[in-house]
Amino acid sequence: MVDDRVYTAIVLQGGGALGAYEFGVLKALYEQRPGFTPVAVAGISIGAINAAVLGGAKTNPVDALDTLWRDRLTVSTPWSRWLPRPLDASWALMGNPGMYLINPGLFVSPWTSTSLYDTAPLRWTLADLVDPVRLNDEGTRVIVGAIRVGTGEIDYFDLDCPGGLTLDHVVASGSLPPMFPMTSLDQQCYWDGGLFANTPLGPAINALERAAGGAADVVRELIVVELFPMKGAVPSNLLQVHQRRQHLQYTSRMNLDHKFFEKMNGVVDVISEIDAAIGDHAIRNNPVYAQLRGHRKINHYNVVTAALTPELGNAGDFSASAIDARIEAGYLDALNQGVGRVDSTGLRPGVLKAST
């Protein structure tokens, strides 16, 4: 059963078809913790789509994610079982009925087109699976990130946005150029947030710190699903070169290990000691100091890292066999790395050691 004194935030990277791995992790998490509801889920690109379905599902969130991946986003043909594996893996280049279609503008005025595909099908898929009201309730705060094309700045959107979080915000987070068109929001044009930061740790931690009204005596847990690990084998062919370059482009660019989180917790402890020692010092009226006092310790974290084979590491492969294999890999990795075990003490296997 879920301990109601444990507050969990989830971080989901972008990565195209690799997002099926994230579903596998989430499936294991929900199965192992009956009644589980995260306080926040922050996602970029395909992670934003998973986050929106998880936090705003019209039905059971795991069932909705299953529909998303096995029905809407899987690309198959009547001939898939007989096609050579490379051809089946490349079939999504012709379009994905649940996510994107070839941009008709390419055949009319290719010189004015800004994308290869049209993402109208993604809007239809999200509209079928996501309840806009639930997407904006306080049960699970959904946070998605997109980058302003004109300024290069990243914006994070959630229920506190004017008008609330919309499906257009989710689409904007996944508007990866040149494949997908930029998304216009509030007189700004947006591209995929993964171009700037593919691991939205900051917004997730901020939401986690605000949980329980900012109380210091509850357990806070952070779960990160890492689709693009920093470490990897040196490539030996062009396909591996492409995949390794992609991994380096979209990795978190920081070591998500126990030293990182211990450093954060150490800073919180020092601030707490200073606060107890200064009494009624005027510094308490300083807004920056007040902000520092508001930081909270992350009692437990778990980084579930996708160690996928080169065949499964192709982010553009939406074939049924690859989707199923990634879901299974994420599910088993999550179980093996202990995402199902946590209690209000914050102590469980791996509490001071990230899963790798």
Side-chain angles (χ1 to χ4, degrees):
M1 294 298 293
V2 171
D3 190 319
D4 59 10
R5 292 165 295 177
V6 177
Y7 294 82
T8 305
I10 300 170
V11 176
L12 302 174
Q13 287 187 338
L18 307 190
Y21 180 93
E22 293 176 332
F23 167 46
V25 173
L26 296 170
K27 184 172 184 287
L29 179 62
Y30 273 71
E31 284 184 5
Q32 293 296 306
R33 302 190 195 180
F36 171 74
T37 301
V39 297
V41 55
I44 294 289
S45 195
I46 198 66
I49 295 170
N50 280 335
V53 174
L54 182 74
K58 294 179 179 179
T59 59
N60 176 281
V62 175
D63 291 343
L65 284 168
D66 192 89
T67 297
L68 174 72
W69 282 103
R70 297 188 194 275
D71 181 19
R72 300 305 181 88
L73 299 188
T74 293
V75 176
S76 62
T77 73
W79 316 282
S80 288
R81 68 176 65 182
W82 295 289
L83 288 176
R85 181 72 189 92
L87 182 58
D88 193 33
S90 302
W91 202 258
L93 290 173
M94 304 303 296
N96 184 325
M99 192 175 184
Y100 56 88
L101 298 172
I102 293 177
N103 178 12
L106 292 174
F107 304 103
V108 179
S109 56
W111 51 89
T112 62
S113 294
T114 58
S115 69
L116 300 177
Y117 300 99
D118 183 334
T119 50
L122 175 58
R123 287 181 166 84
W124 304 334
T125 294
L126 290 172
D128 285 345
L129 297 176
V130 176
D131 178 354
V133 175
R134 185 171 292 179
L135 185 65
N136 284 280
D137 67 25
E138 292 285 356
T140 296
R141 180 178 290 265
V142 178
I143 309 162
V144 303
I147 188 171
R148 297 188 187 187
V149 177
T151 66
E153 300 169 288
I154 193 165
D155 288 336
Y156 290 105
F157 306 105
D158 61 12
L159 59 85
D160 290 332
C161 293
L165 183 64
T166 69
L167 299 184
D168 282 339
H169 290 121
V170 180
V171 173
S173 184
S175 297
L176 182 66
M179 283 73 74
F180 303 143
M182 63 189 80
T183 300
S184 297
L185 292 168
D186 300 323
Q187 300 182 328
Q188 292 284 346
C189 292
Y190 287 93
W191 271 337
D192 190 306
L195 295 172
F196 185 97
N198 201 37
T199 311
L201 278 177
I205 291 174
N206 291 341
L208 199 53
E209 288 181 329
R210 293 193 298 267
D217 59 348
V218 299
V219 171
R220 290 176 168 84
E221 175 193 34
L222 184 67
I223 297 175
V224 181
V225 185
E226 190 177 35
L227 297 178
F228 296 105
M230 290 182 66
K231 294 181 180 180
V234 175
S236 58
N237 58 51
L238 284 177
L239 175 60
Q240 292 176 12
V241 166
H242 168 71
Q243 291 183 357
R244 185 58 183 152
R245 180 202 60 79
Q246 186 181 61
H247 281 207
L248 292 174
Q249 180 178 356
Y250 293 111
T251 188
S252 66
R253 296 180 178 87
M254 66 175 66
N255 289 314
L256 300 177
D257 59 15
H258 69 282
K259 292 181 180 179
F260 172 78
F261 290 96
E262 283 179 343
K263 183 180 294 186
M264 291 176 56
N265 288 345
V267 171
V268 173
D269 285 337
V270 169
I271 294 172
S272 179
E273 291 180 17
I274 293 173
D275 192 56
I278 64 174
D280 295 327
H281 195 282
I283 192 68
R284 288 183 178 277
N285 297 321
N286 186 308
V288 176
Y289 181 71
Q291 186 178 31
L292 289 174
R293 289 178 61 208
H295 288 306
R296 295 292 178 258
K297 297 175 72 170
I298 305 299
N299 305 91
H300 181 76
Y301 73 99
N302 195 318
V303 182
V304 183
T305 301
L308 299 172
T309 63
E311 292 75 17
L312 295 179
N314 178 2
D317 179 6
F318 286 88
S319 64
S321 59
I323 293 297
D324 287 344
R326 294 188 195 108
I327 294 172
E328 181 70 9
Y331 182 84
L332 293 177
D333 284 353
L335 292 182
N336 291 335
Q337 296 179 26
V339 297
R341 302 186 300 276
V342 71
D343 59 40
S344 59
T345 67
L347 299 176
R348 74 181 200 181
V351 67
L352 293 179
K353 182 179 180 182
S355 299
T356 56

